[in-house]
Structure formats: C-alpha cells, structure tokens
Amino acid sequence: MASKVAVVTGANKGIGFAIVRGLCKRFEGHLPYLTARDEERGKKAVADLEKEGLNPKFHQLDVTDKKSLEVFRDYIKSNYGGIDILVNNAAIAFKNDAPEPAAVQAEQTLFVNYFTLVSTCDILFPILKNGARVINLSSALGHLSNIPSPALRDRLKDEKLTVEELSSLMQQYVDAVNQGTHAADWGNSSYNVSKVGVTALSNIQQRLLNDRDIKVNSVHPGYVATDMTTHKGPMSIDEGAIATVYLALDAPDSVRGKYVWFNKEIVDWTGEMPKEFC
C-alpha cells in the first residue's frame, strides 16, 4: 500500500507539534510532514520527536508566502502525488496588552488567520487526493455567537455564501476597525472574527469538495497551555491535539462540514455556545 501523506502547518511548537506527534504514533508506515516557517526551529522539532522514537518528515513552509506554498506543493506532488491529510494549524494571536494599534492587530490577525488560510487552500487543495481529510484549527471563539450583529450572523451562516463573499465580509471588518466602527456589529476581538471566518470557510469548502469525497471540518482544540495563551490554558498540547487526530484518522466519513469540540463532540455552530470550553 502506498504511503499516505499528512501535512501540518505551523507545527514546530504548541498544538501543531502535538498533532504531528499524535499522527506519528498512529500513522505508522505513512508520512506525517511537520512544516514550519523557520527551518532551524522546524528541524529541531523533528529532532525532538525523533528522540521519542518517532519519524516525522520536515519541509520548510511559510503559509504567508505564495512562493513557499508553491514550492511545497510541487515537492509533495512530484514525490507523493498529493496529500491525504491536511491540518491547517498556523495562526497568530496578539496578547491583551499588545502595544500595536487595533487597526494593525486587525489587519495582521485577519491576514494570517483567515486570508492566508484561503490562499493556502487555493494552492494545496488541487493536490488533495480524493477521499482526503482537511482539518482547519478554529476555536471556541470561532463560534458564530461571538458575532453580535444578527444580520452578520445570518450572512455568515447562509448556505449559499461563497468564499469571495466571506472574504469580502472579513475585509469589511478590517475596514471597520480602521474607521473605529466595528464594535457594535463585530465585537472587539480580531482573533474572534478571524476564527469565525475559519469556521465559516470550512463550511463553504465542504460544499465545494463534496464531489471529491473530501472531508473538511473545523475544530476547537480546547484551552491549551501554549505560547498563544501565555500558557494559561489548563490542557496540555497533547490533549489539545486529540480532536484533530481523531478527525484525521478515526472519524466516520459522515463527519464532514462540522464544527468539532475538543472532546470530539459535534457542536452546532449556529446554536448556543457549549458551556464547557476545555
């Protein structure tokens, strides 16, 4: 049987690192790729996993750089024919006391967490193998209830919403922050908006990929102790990887276009926010 290829973006530390570890433990005989923007840090992460007796592969990948994505795509296509599992984990979050102006935080957060995800998928989706699985890392903060405006919530959950229309809405948020008019409709968190965008995008992608039997899901990994949370989360990175590894390897094929909680439960994205975050 030909080896399957799993790719995890932004994986040199935190939840991404733990996802690669979890895949290595379960994906014996196949090829989990740990990718990272910084080659030195990525290779060190691979070496750390090798010390545990695991065998991930490494390739440099800066998801914010179109050329880097194209180089990676061509490498995977020429060597393996395509991707079986794609975990879009790379993201950023500004700290609460970050000195950057709100407009800068909005632009950079939406660029990395949402717009870069769109471009990553545009470049890598054509080499997904039929039957592949895609997991987009969202958050509890990516639940639709985090958007105050009923009109915006209706737009975001519209089953006819296109990627282009969603991207326009995300840009409208960035523009509103620049104008100081965002709070009433969008709330005050660029991270929340970016992750709502990730969840909405995942729903659209599933509709577009149904004919190739590709499963796309978004996941809230839990409140995990990482650099992003200033290590305040009560969950370990390995606990934060559980739901993603489940979606990658174990979930039934019927789980597609879903918003999945850290405990593997499917959550209604348009309903009430679950009380249990982690």
Side-chain angles (χ1 to χ4, degrees):
M1 182 176 65
S3 294
K4 293 184 177 181
V5 174
V7 174
V8 185
T9 67
N12 62 280
K13 64 179 181 177
I15 295 172
F17 177 82
I19 292 168
V20 174
R21 177 192 276 142
L23 289 173
C24 285
K25 290 180 177 179
R26 293 283 315 285
F27 214 40
E28 188 174 352
H30 298 299
L31 300 165
Y33 263 86
L34 184 156
T35 71
R37 177 176 57 183
D38 186 293
E39 186 166 354
E40 183 177 340
R41 292 178 181 176
K43 288 183 175 178
K44 181 184 182 302
V46 166
D48 289 341
L49 290 172
E50 286 174 343
K51 291 175 184 175
E52 299 177 18
L54 304 174
N55 293 292
K57 302 291 184 180
F58 173 74
H59 199 286
Q60 190 276 339
L61 176 61
D62 181 353
V63 294
T64 68
D65 182 344
K66 182 180 178 182
K67 181 61 177 177
S68 178
L69 282 160
E70 289 172 343
V71 167
F72 179 69
R73 174 201 63 198
D74 294 346
Y75 170 82
I76 293 293
K77 184 177 181 180
S78 63
N79 284 277
Y80 308 109
I83 297 171
D84 298 276
I85 296 168
L86 175 61
V87 179
N88 289 306
N89 168 73
I92 65 168
F94 283 87
K95 302 295 188 287
N96 290 333
D97 59 353
E100 292 84 355
V104 172
Q105 293 189 36
E107 183 175 4
Q108 293 185 7
T109 302
L110 270 291
F111 170 66
V112 175
N113 294 2
Y114 174 78
F115 289 104
T116 287
L117 176 58
V118 173
S119 60
T120 297
C121 294
D122 284 345
I123 292 169
L124 296 184
F125 274 13
I127 66 165
L128 289 176
K129 296 178 183 177
N130 289 345
R133 295 185 173 204
V134 178
I135 302 96
N136 295 326
L137 270 287
S138 183
S139 166
L141 302 176
H143 191 276
L144 189 59
S145 63
N146 286 290
I147 302 299
S149 165
L152 280 173
R153 292 198 300 269
D154 285 344
R155 287 288 292 124
L156 289 162
K157 69 182 180 183
D158 185 347
E159 292 188 359
K160 296 181 180 179
L161 186 69
T162 66
V163 175
E164 292 76 16
E165 290 167 343
L166 175 59
S167 293
S168 179
L169 287 172
M170 294 294 105
Q171 186 59 49
Q172 286 176 33
Y173 167 74
V174 175
D175 295 341
V177 175
N178 271 292
Q179 297 162 12
T181 60
H182 60 288
D185 288 336
W186 292 97
N188 281 310
S189 171
S190 293
Y191 185 80
N192 289 16
V193 174
S194 74
K195 290 302 185 179
V196 167
V198 169
T199 314
L201 178 65
S202 305
N203 298 338
I204 297 169
Q205 290 173 336
Q206 182 62 72
R207 297 201 302 269
L208 296 174
L209 292 168
N210 269 331
D211 60 345
R212 294 175 58 194
D213 191 31
I214 292 171
K215 278 69 71 174
V216 183
N217 295 288
S218 56
V219 63
H220 161 50
Y223 190 23
V224 179
T226 65
D227 289 349
M228 192 174 287
T229 64
T230 321
H231 295 273
K232 292 179 180 177
M235 294 173 63
S236 70
I237 59 172
D238 291 304
E239 290 172 326
I242 288 173
T244 298
V245 174
Y246 164 75
L247 287 170
L249 301 179
D250 300 321
D253 286 348
S254 58
V255 179
R256 57 179 73 202
K258 303 299 184 183
Y259 179 52
V260 179
W261 225 234
F262 66 95
N263 58 5
K264 309 178 192 175
E265 295 293 326
I266 295 172
V267 168
D268 181 359
W269 183 59
T270 66
E272 291 187 8
M273 168 81 80
K275 295 179 181 178
E276 199 174 1
F277 287 90
C278 57

